[in-house]
Structures are given as C-alpha cells and as structure tokens.
Amino acid sequence: MLCVITQSNEGFVNLAQTRSAVIGVLISIAGIASTSPLASAQEFLSDAQHMFFDQSMLSRRFGIEIEFSGVTDEIAEQIIIEKMQATVAERLPTGELVFSSPYGEVRLKIEGQAWRYELDPARFERQVAHDKIHAPREVVFPPMTFKDVQAIQDVGIALRDHGAVGTTDTQAVSTQVNVEMPLLVKDGVENPKAIEDFLNLMRVYSDPEHYAQIEAKIHVPAIRREYIKDFSPGFLKRIENKNYKPTARQLFDDYFYRQSLEVLGIKGAWTMELETAKKTMMAQPDPVVPLVAKMLRMRPSSLLLLAFPEDPLAKAIIATRWARAMPIVEFREHNTDFDIRTTIEQCLGIVRSVEVFGDYDHDTLVSKLTGIDARDLVELRKNTQILKGAPRVVRYALQDPKTAYIKNQNKGSNGDYVWIQLDPDKVGERPLVVAGNSVVFNRRGIHRQTLLGKYNPGLENVLIQQAMENKILESKLLRKYVKGSMARALTLPEVTDGRSVNLDTLLEKLNIEFPNGWVMKGAWDLATENLFISDKLNIPELLDAYRNGFETFRAKVEKKYKGADPEEILTALKEHEGYRGWKIVQLLANPETVFFQERVRIVKEFRVEVQGGKVLSKGSTIDRYAYKKNPEDKSDITPEQISGAEAFAQNLIDELPDAMRFLPYGFDVALIENGTWKLIETNPGGNSSFLEENTASIEALDEYLGRYPDLVDRGKIKLLTPEEQISWLKKEFADLRINPVTLYTGMTFTPNDIIDPLYPRVALPKTICERLLLAK
C-alpha cells in the first residue's frame, strides 16, 4: 500500500542519514558496488535462501502481495484466472476484483489513495476515478504453503511476460511477504520461545552489516525509502542490548508507546514512567504513528497487536487500518522483480535462521557452519563487477584456514576467479551456495556439504564418483567397459579363494597368478606415488621397519600437519622407512578391500586431466612426477608422448558409458616398454593437486570453468539424478558380483544417496538441488 507519512521527527531523519552513511561505509569495506545488478556475491539474503530455508519451512504458511503497473486489469484478471485456477467472485465499485480459487481468496487491488477519503464521498469518488487510471495494482494472495508456490511464481512470470513493470527508480512498488509466526500470547499465557525468536528476528534484520548486505543485494531505489524505514534509535538501542529479555507486554509497550513518543519528538520517551508514557501517547491528537504501525523494512506490528488487541493504542491502530492484528511479520523491503519464489525463500530462510541460531552475525555464523574462514567470505563479496551473465568461478585449496591461512590466494588473472581454502576433512553443517551465475569447482566430493554454486563441475554424477573412489570398483568397471585399458587385477579373497592363509602361502599364490610380477593396493589408497608394494620387495623386512618406531613418528607428523591436505601428510609419512610396512599392516587389517594388480614395465607416467568427457589438454598433461624435478627440466618428455597419452585417454573416455564419461578425472596413464599404453588409475573427481600447482593446468581449467555453464545449458554434459546414479551402481554391483556391504564398510546406499558416517550431511530441499543443477 502506498501511503504518505504525515508525522516526522528531526532526530529520526538524522538517524536515517546516519544509517545510510554507515551502510555506505560497510558496502565500501566489503567491496560491493551498489550500482551493479550483479554487485552482491555472498550475503545475508542469498544465504538465508540457500542455507537456512530448509525442509521445515515447506509447511510454513505465508501471504504474498505483488505490486506492479504496466498491464491492464483485463490482462491481470485473465492471468489470475489461468494460473490460480480462479473465478471472479465479486467486482467491487472501486474497480477491485475478488477471486475464489482452490487456494483461497485472491484479490486484485488498486494501490491508490481513495481509502483516505472514505468520509468525504465527493472527493472519494474523484480519487477512485483517478486511481483506476494511474495507480499501481496489487495481487493479494491467500495464506499458502511452499508446496503451492509455483502458482504464485506463474502469476509473477506471466505478469512480467505481459509487460508488467515492477520496482523502478520512479515507481515505488514492492513485493511483500507475510510469514506466519507462533503466537506471543495464547489464552493469556505467554510463549517465551516465540517472544525470544521474535525479538531476535528484529535484532538480526536490523543489524547494520546485514542491512548493508541486503541493500547491496536488492538496491532499493530512493523513491521507496519513505515507506521502508528502520526502528527508532531508542528502540534499536533497546533491542540491541543482549540483556534485554522482555515479556510480551513489555515488548508491546516499548514498541508502540515509547517508540511512538520518540518518533513524535517527545522528550523522555524512554525514561518516563510507563503509565505516564501511555497517557501522553493517547493524549496526542493522532496517537497512530504510521512509521511504527506500518512503514518499516520488516513490520512486526501485526503480531504485537494480536497479542494485546484490547490495548487502547492497539484499538486505535486497528481502527485506522494502518495494521491488522494477525500472526505474521511482514517483509516489505523486496523490490518487485517478479522472481517471487526467490523472495519467498529468502524471507522464510531469514525466519528459520533465527529460530535455529538465535541472534547472530552473518559472517561469524556462516564461517562456523561451513568452516569457510570469515576472511574468505569477504573475498566472495569482492571483485563482483562482472559482465552481465558472465560466470563467477570459485576454486579452493585444501588447507584448514584455522591452522594456516593463505593470504593473497586469488590466483586467477581475472577478478571473476576467486580462490579460497577449506579444511580437507571438514564438512559443513549446511552448505554455502555462492550466489549468482556461479561455478564452484569442488576438489573433494565431501565438500558439497560445505560449498556449492549454481554450476558444480567437480560434482558431476557425484555418487558414482564417490563409489569409484574405491579402486576395486574402479578396476572392475574399467576392465569391463574398456578391455585391456588397465592391468589384470584380483582381490585378496579371489587370490585365496576366500580362505585364510599365511604370508608365505599368499606370496606363493601371487607369484603363480602374476608370473610377470604384482603390485599390492588398497581399495581406498591415496597418493601411493612410487612407494607401491610389489613382488620386488622383501615384505618381512618392510614389516620390521614398520615396527621400528613408525607409530611414534606418525603421531608427530599428524600433529605437525593437522588440517593440511591429506596428500601432504602422506608425503611426510613416507620419510620413514617403515611407511610401506605400515601400509601392509593397514591393508591386511581389512582383507576385503585389498587387491593385487599385474605389474607393468613403465617407461613414463603422465597425469592427464579430464573434464566434461574431454581431455583438458592445453598444457595440462604433464609428467606424473614433474613436481619432483626441476620445473625447467622437460628434456625427457616429447610432444609425441604427450599426444599419445592424450589420445589414449580420449579413446578410453569415448568408450565409457554416459554414467562414467562425464566425471572429472585425473587419469594416470603409463607408456609401457612394449610401446602400448595402460591406465594406472582414474582419480575420479576434482581432487587432482596438479590443477592448482601446475600453471598450465590452472589456466586450462580456468578457461574450461569459464565456459562450463554454456556446455551444461546446451546439453553437452549429461548428468544423472541421484536416483539414476544409485540405480546404475546397483546394477553394476550385481553384474560385477560386488557386495557393497563388505566393500564399503560402514556406508549405506539409499535410493538416492550414499551415506558415509565419516562425513554426515543434511538434505537440501529438492527444489534447491534442482536449481543448483545437482540433479539434471
């Protein structure tokens, strides 16, 4: 509703100016430029939508009011009839329409000024005629739940497509969301939890930093500022006091009586006796202060009025229709951009965040929930002046920021590429979703609980990735679909026919099965490098070396490198001569996850990076052990070898089924003495350290990530839903005679997920998963 504030106060105007200045400073500090339509990257509203809008809010009731202009009443009527399955129930003399629908009563209102002159029939009639032509319109929806949100969204999109105009620099309209709240008082009994949540909601929404982030996100035009103010300075001071724990009655009196007195400029508003404050307020010529009753960014008045509807000031407010007594809070700040679903999710998410986490600071809370350092959250708000539609790429290093924060890690030559860092083993309690047209490259699949984007190239068919981290499944799949690509392999139970044998017997059987030599591997091996266990080694001597102080050494290393990339820890452990003996002990402790592979005579081994079903190339294919050599020493690598490795890898990829073809891989391929090529391992997922250590690989991946959204949008990359991935895996388990209970100890395969107790996750609402392209 468009209104004019007839009462003002010089002190309050100064507050507004001061808050604007504070917001300007905060926006400047955060690196946000409010003139850009893409000038917010990671902030309060986006995180409310993606982190805090959860399954519990799908049944929460809300009401929506969409204000607009630019389409005729006839067109708006037809849109409501079609999208809401509605019929016209009444045509009012004012020109407004009342509809009946399966969802309840819908109204098409005229947002004019005629209501002000209802006691002056002649002027009222003139104003009605004027409003019919010039005033914006408003669709008022009945209380609904999120399961019916598509109908509201369809109305918004249809209005937009027919030329409706929302908020502009010259049109002060908005989309208002009324979220149902628990009653503060019921049958005369106060609800302490409802009061606490309500108070915290006011605190969180009026926090200056959150205010700045909201403004940078939605850019409220100056023409609307008159209708969306903040609380008075005195009321802000009161609710910001952490020791302020009011009853519902005290909150009502402070909000309506004392705040109104302050806005009217009456001295002593917060110090005079309460009864004096009440008498002074009710003695005013007009005790209803529009700002307190209505004109706020988030309006709490309805819920307070419902708690004490018989209060004299409450009766006066209700009588003037500035506010109604209802179990709601109204979010009034959002511009009308016709993306109604997003607006609803944001408002519901704000309410939910307070109900779960109480009064909070955004960056502090998000950092706690995700493990992403608050400094990196600031980085995600920087460098956002990008071309409209251009993707924003986020990559991360595996290093716990609490242990060692890497400064100046923005390695991209373009400000659109942001580097942060994550604890390699920590998963978030709720994932942070990078706002906008974002591309997040996940090095580890477990970090889908920590960090997501609209596009997630490191998580393509992530459940199949997760299963293929088990090298026994990897080996069996590759030898099934691309025969001869990997060396022959047998599991330990297959070698021993499932019987227990001693070490001598095992070695004897291995020498028979693999006359050309063998290599011992674990299903969950990581970073074996060239310290593999083979027939060429003296196994008893390795075990003796392990017993000679390795465990003490390991404890020191893990303490020193706490929070580091697991590969870095393994590299340090390899300095002890007992490392391979320790590996043998670890492997034999879980015989179902041990396998042996025919040893091949390798001339040279290469890391071939694969993205989206294609070899990445462009300099990204390198010597597998290049990091151990002088970076300038490339004399032993020929262009022909690089071409051969890439051609072998691409031919292999082309033979894979769609379920496997589009996974990211870090193929290790080897040139064999006889001139042929073999795949050593696929390294499924984005966890190839060369993609952040090798300059050519970094640049090649950055270029690919920049065009990734276009590849997905054009259907060049085929993604399976979680249900399709699990179904495919179960078929392969049956065909390959794999028992997931023994091969994936402790893990559970559900119809749409793989649950690993080491990395617990919460479920995202399906609508968000679909929108983030986690399921295509």
Side-chain angles (χ1 to χ4, degrees), residues 663-707:
L663 274 61
Y665 295 104
F667 277 0
D668 290 334
V669 303
L671 177 62
I672 310 305
E673 285 182 352
N674 63 8
T676 62
W677 293 87
K678 288 287 183 184
L679 177 65
I680 305 303
E681 56 187 10
T682 65
N683 296 303
N687 195 21
S688 172
S689 60
F690 296 107
L691 290 173
E692 74 173 61
E693 296 169 1
N694 178 51
T695 301
S697 300
I698 292 172
E699 293 175 352
L701 179 61
D702 281 350
E703 186 275 334
Y704 170 76
L705 296 177
R707 55 188 175 87

Side-chain angles (χ1 to χ4, degrees), residues 132-342:
K132 284 182 178 180
I133 298 172
H134 300 288
R137 276 21 180 192
E138 179 182 50
V139 181
V140 180
F141 295 85
M144 299 171 70
T145 61
F146 199 80
K147 67 180 177 64
D148 296 320
V149 74
Q150 190 58 49
I152 304 174
Q153 178 79 340
D154 288 345
V155 170
I157 296 302
L159 287 170
R160 182 201 66 189
D161 291 348
H162 281 82
V165 178
T167 309
T168 68
D169 289 340
T170 58
Q171 176 163 273
V173 300
S174 66
T175 295
Q176 297 135 40
V177 182
N178 302 300
V179 180
E180 188 173 49
M181 302 290 287
L183 298 179
L184 304 180
V185 180
K186 184 177 182 180
D187 299 328
V189 179
E190 295 196 353
N191 181 340
K193 178 67 165 68
I195 297 169
E196 180 183 16
D197 288 344
F198 182 50
L199 177 61
N200 284 333
L201 181 60
M202 289 189 281
R203 286 169 169 162
V204 167
Y205 200 77
S206 61
D207 178 276
E209 290 188 9
H210 301 165
Y211 192 173
Q213 292 178 22
I214 292 170
E215 168 58 22
K217 177 72 173 178
I218 61 180
H219 314 293
V220 175
I223 194 173
R224 284 191 54 220
R225 287 295 175 198
E226 181 180 0
Y227 311 108
I228 51 168
K229 301 288 187 178
D230 210 340
F231 304 128
S232 73
F235 188 71
L236 278 171
K237 183 178 180 180
R238 180 137 305 187
I239 66 173
E240 287 169 356
N241 183 348
K242 305 303 181 184
N243 295 321
Y244 179 59
K245 298 178 181 179
T247 62
R249 182 71 234 191
Q250 182 184 356
L251 188 56
F252 178 97
D253 292 338
D254 285 344
Y255 182 84
F256 282 114
Y257 284 102
R258 295 191 184 279
Q259 183 174 211
S260 295
L261 287 171
E262 180 186 6
V263 173
L264 293 176
I266 297 174
K267 294 182 179 180
W270 294 95
T271 57
M272 67 177 67
E273 292 291 332
L274 178 60
E275 289 307 313
T276 302
K278 290 184 175 182
K279 291 178 181 179
T280 303
M281 192 65 229
M282 296 309 297
Q284 299 301 309
D286 184 358
V288 179
V289 178
L291 184 139
V292 176
K294 179 79 171 180
M295 303 300 186
L296 293 161
R297 299 169 54 237
M298 184 194 72
R299 183 178 65 83
S301 56
S302 286
L303 191 59
L304 286 167
L305 291 172
L306 187 62
F308 303 100
E310 298 305 314
D311 179 273
L313 184 51
K315 287 183 175 181
I317 293 171
I318 294 168
T320 61
R321 295 192 298 182
W322 276 106
R324 291 192 293 164
M326 299 176 67
I328 63 165
V329 293
E330 181 182 38
F331 292 90
R332 309 184 66 251
E333 196 162 11
H334 282 74
N335 299 324
T336 295
D337 61 3
F338 303 104
D339 182 4
I340 313 302
R341 179 194 294 268
T342 291

Side-chain angles (χ1 to χ4, degrees), residues 328-564:
I328 63 165
V329 293
E330 181 182 38
F331 292 90
R332 309 184 66 251
E333 196 162 11
H334 282 74
N335 299 324
T336 295
D337 61 3
F338 303 104
D339 182 4
I340 313 302
R341 179 194 294 268
T342 291
T343 299
I344 294 169
E345 289 174 349
Q346 289 172 350
C347 295
L348 290 175
I350 292 168
V351 172
R352 182 59 177 164
S353 70
V354 169
E355 291 176 345
V356 176
F357 300 105
D359 182 19
Y360 64 84
D361 169 74
H362 170 270
D363 285 11
T364 302
L365 176 61
V366 171
S367 180
K368 178 183 177 182
L369 293 176
T370 62
I372 299 173
D373 194 278
R375 290 166 288 188
D376 280 343
L377 295 178
V378 174
E379 289 295 328
L380 289 171
R381 285 198 288 272
K382 288 183 179 178
N383 304 320
T384 57
Q385 291 288 359
I386 57 180
L387 296 175
K388 185 175 181 181
R392 188 155 193 267
V393 177
V394 179
R395 299 178 60 184
Y396 60 84
L398 292 176
Q399 172 68 52
D400 183 2
K402 291 184 176 61
T403 303
Y405 184 70
I406 306 170
K407 295 181 179 179
N408 302 317
Q409 69 270 40
N410 289 332
K411 299 181 181 180
S413 58
N414 186 316
D416 303 347
Y417 290 78
V418 180
W419 279 77
I420 62 174
Q421 64 188 101
L422 294 180
D423 184 330
D425 293 316
K426 178 180 172 61
V427 298
E429 295 178 37
R430 293 174 184 243
L432 180 141
V433 180
V434 180
N437 195 34
S438 56
V439 181
V440 170
F441 187 71
N442 284 85
R443 281 199 60 189
R444 299 198 70 189
I446 64 170
H447 286 141
R448 65 188 184 275
Q449 181 64 17
T450 303
L451 187 67
L452 291 169
K454 179 180 179 181
Y455 300 90
N456 299 279
L459 300 178
E460 291 156 327
N461 295 341
V462 67
L463 299 179
I464 295 174
Q465 280 187 42
Q466 186 176 352
M468 281 186 62
E469 288 176 4
N470 186 297
K471 296 183 185 301
I472 291 176
L473 176 66
E474 172 197 58
S475 174
K476 289 181 178 293
L477 285 173
L478 266 295
R479 287 185 291 121
K480 170 185 176 180
Y481 286 108
V482 193
K483 290 181 171 58
S485 61
M486 294 187 85
R488 177 172 173 264
L490 294 172
T491 64
L492 178 56
E494 288 170 341
V495 172
T496 64
D497 296 322
R499 292 177 292 180
S500 297
V501 297
N502 59 33
L503 182 59
D504 290 340
T505 302
L506 173 61
L507 295 176
E508 181 179 335
K509 286 181 173 290
L510 288 171
N511 291 333
I512 294 172
E513 287 287 352
F514 301 103
N516 294 322
W518 51 265
V519 176
M520 181 182 188
K521 295 183 176 181
W524 304 105
D525 271 359
L526 178 67
T528 302
E529 304 299 310
N530 56 1
L531 288 182
F532 48 81
I533 301 159
S534 74
D535 62 292
K536 300 179 72 174
L537 302 174
N538 187 315
I539 304 300
E541 285 185 3
L542 296 179
L543 293 172
D544 286 342
Y546 159 68
R547 299 185 189 102
N548 188 23
F550 179 82
E551 289 295 349
T552 301
F553 174 77
R554 181 166 72 97
K556 293 179 180 178
V557 166
E558 291 181 348
K559 181 178 180 180
K560 178 180 178 181
Y561 290 92
K562 182 180 179 181

